[in-house]
Amino acid sequence: MHHQWLLLAACFWVIFMFMVASKFITLTFKDPDGYGAKQEPLILTAVTKVEEVHVPEEKHWPEEFQPTGKAFSGNLIRQPLVHMERLELLRNVCRDAALRNLSHTAVSKFVLDRIFVCDKHKILFCQTPKVGNTQWKKVLIVLNGAFSSIEEIPENIVHDHEKNGLPRLSSFSDSEIKKRLNLYFKFFIVRDPFERLISAFKDKFVHNPRFEPWYRHEIAPGIIRKYRKNRTETKGLQFEDFVRYLGDPNHRWLDVQFGDHIIHWVTYVELCAPCEITYSVIGHHETLEDDAPYILKAAGIDHLVSYPTIPPGITVYNKTKVERYFSGVSKRDIRRLYARFEGDFKLFGYREPDFLLN
């Protein structure tokens, strides 16, 4: 009987030690970045995936660019990787010799005119019209001290470059330009290239909410005279006329006549020279809800200003709208348009439209 009790006690001791060991193993392999969420053991395949995208490179970032849980909420790990992948894609396409004519441009005065400067916080913002730029200009206006809050800025001031307090990079000397390009935080925003062109067409030639008569009375007639097939039609500029103009390899003849108004529909390459200027972040309009707070944090200004509230659904890519607009355009004209904007599609990871593949 004595031996039986000893054997039973030994069994209980073994079971107890096994439970302690199991608890220790579970605690050891918990995800340290869970921050209060339900903890589960890490999976080896997840670790392998992180290694493939070179997470250790983050340690080379300046301290003020490091992400925090507050800024990214549930995207603490994913968000920095998304932006690193975008920049890596950009570098790879820039090195593609076959796309060189579509991805490279000189850092001319035209490009420097597009870049707005915030010296106080060492920020450069390249303007890409029809991609929510008005809101980013408001952010910079507040940072430059012209107004104390975004709500106080009158709409007519935002685009008045004599009153909004936003200097252009072109206004500095060559040495000052070079210094800012080398040292400042630099960013711009993109969206699907074809959807951007639809937005430009609607804003300038259909609705024209800012009452800019030269688009309808000077630019539209110029495009119609050169590109409308049926000259007996008397209706205003149609989207197919617009596409025919943009896809024409000889479009620059009209561009010169239109002057800086072309900024609303020229390529991102022509606007911001992304292969010549090393940008810190490239935001996407389709993911602006995540990208805006990331940019503010990366630039070190998230404690000073917030990006204006984004109306629900406004940044979502509208495939149906794009297909509807292009349904009345010939395949030949669409292909010519894509040939001009292919660099934008490839540099920023946008898919070739399905209606081009059919």
Side-chain angles (χ1 to χ4, degrees):
M1 178 66 74
H2 178 68
H3 291 293
Q4 290 177 342
W5 278 108
L6 286 176
L7 182 59
L8 186 60
C11 290
F12 276 118
W13 175 253
V14 171
I15 293 171
F16 174 76
M17 291 303 295
F18 179 79
M19 292 173 63
V20 171
S22 299
K23 185 67 173 178
F24 175 79
I25 292 170
T26 302
L27 289 170
T28 302
F29 288 95
K30 280 181 179 179
D31 185 349
D33 294 319
Y35 297 114
K38 182 180 178 181
Q39 303 286 1
E40 296 180 0
L42 288 178
I43 302 173
L44 184 58
T45 53
V47 176
T48 304
K49 189 176 294 186
V50 171
E51 289 176 351
E52 289 174 355
V53 292
H54 308 298
V55 173
E57 289 182 7
E58 284 191 61
K59 66 184 179 182
H60 300 298
W61 290 15
E63 183 177 348
E64 63 269 24
F65 290 1
Q66 291 295 337
T68 68
K70 180 180 179 182
F72 308 121
S73 62
N75 295 328
L76 178 64
I77 297 300
R78 184 186 68 82
Q79 192 70 2
L81 295 182
V82 166
H83 292 281
M84 291 169 67
E85 289 167 357
R86 288 175 183 173
L87 293 176
E88 182 63 23
L89 171 64
L90 176 71
R91 286 191 289 268
N92 289 337
V93 177
C94 287
R95 289 193 290 261
D96 188 341
L99 291 171
R100 184 169 182 82
N101 290 339
L102 296 171
S103 60
H104 288 261
T105 191
V107 183
S108 62
K109 185 179 183 300
F110 181 81
V111 171
L112 298 175
D113 278 344
R114 310 281 77 78
I115 301 177
F116 295 102
V117 181
C118 176
D119 277 331
K120 185 176 181 180
H121 299 283
K122 294 183 170 54
I123 297 171
L124 300 179
F125 167 62
C126 184
Q127 177 188 22
T128 50
K130 316 324 305 167
V131 192
N133 281 254
T134 298
Q135 307 305 327
W136 284 110
K137 288 169 81 172
K138 289 179 180 179
V139 169
L140 292 183
I141 289 170
V142 170
L143 291 173
N144 277 350
F147 291 87
S148 59
S149 71
I150 286 174
E151 292 73 24
E152 295 178 12
I153 305 173
E155 288 299 321
N156 64 314
I157 294 293
V158 178
H159 301 290
D160 187 333
H161 299 298
E162 293 183 0
K163 298 179 181 179
N164 63 17
L166 290 180
R168 299 173 189 261
L169 190 56
S170 58
S171 65
F172 296 88
S173 68
D174 288 348
S175 61
E176 290 296 311
I177 290 171
K178 184 176 181 180
K179 181 181 75 172
R180 285 166 173 78
L181 286 174
N182 286 336
L183 299 178
Y184 282 20
F185 177 88
K186 301 171 288 294
F187 77 101
F188 66 98
I189 313 296
V190 298
R191 74 189 292 188
D192 177 86
F194 279 5
E195 189 172 36
R196 172 175 171 254
L197 295 180
I198 293 171
S199 178
F201 174 77
K202 290 170 58 181
D203 184 59
K204 300 306 177 186
F205 301 107
V206 180
H207 304 306
N208 201 252
R210 297 219 300 271
F211 305 104
E212 300 162 309
W214 48 88
Y215 288 103
R216 287 182 179 175
H217 302 313
E218 296 176 24
I219 295 178
I223 295 174
I224 291 171
R225 280 193 299 270
K226 185 169 177 60
Y227 294 103
R228 177 159 294 176
K229 290 182 177 180
N230 185 357
R231 299 297 179 87
T232 62
E233 288 184 4
T234 58
K235 55 187 176 183
L237 184 72
Q238 301 298 295
F239 187 66
E240 60 184 305
D241 304 325
F242 188 54
V243 168
R244 207 170 290 125
Y245 149 58
L246 294 178
D248 183 358
N250 299 312
H251 63 85
R252 296 191 187 282
W253 184 81
L254 276 184
D255 288 352
V256 172
Q257 297 182 46
F258 298 158
D260 278 0
H261 299 308
I262 65 174
I263 66 172
H264 298 281
W265 51 77
V266 298
T267 65
Y268 300 127
V269 171
E270 294 169 279
L271 291 169
C272 298
C275 288
E276 284 65 41
I277 297 173
T278 305
Y279 285 91
S280 313
V281 175
I282 298 171
H284 281 223
H285 186 259
E286 295 83 359
T287 55
L288 195 58
E289 289 85 351
D290 291 331
D291 291 359
Y294 177 85
I295 291 169
L296 296 177
K297 178 64 182 178
I301 56 173
D302 59 317
H303 61 293
L304 300 173
V305 65
S306 297
Y307 189 83
T309 302
I310 302 172
I314 197 170
T315 63
V316 177
Y317 172 69
N318 192 332
K319 181 180 178 182
T320 303
K321 178 183 69 176
V322 173
E323 290 178 345
R324 184 176 75 250
Y325 267 85
F326 279 93
S327 64
V329 183
S330 71
K331 282 290 179 64
R332 170 186 172 274
D333 290 336
I334 297 175
R335 290 192 182 98
R336 291 177 70 170
L337 181 70
Y338 180 79
R340 178 181 175 186
F341 285 84
E342 184 180 5
D344 282 0
F345 277 92
K346 296 289 179 62
L347 284 165
F348 307 111
Y350 288 102
R351 287 181 50 193
E352 182 178 348
D354 292 339
F355 50 80
L356 262 180
L357 304 174
N358 297 333

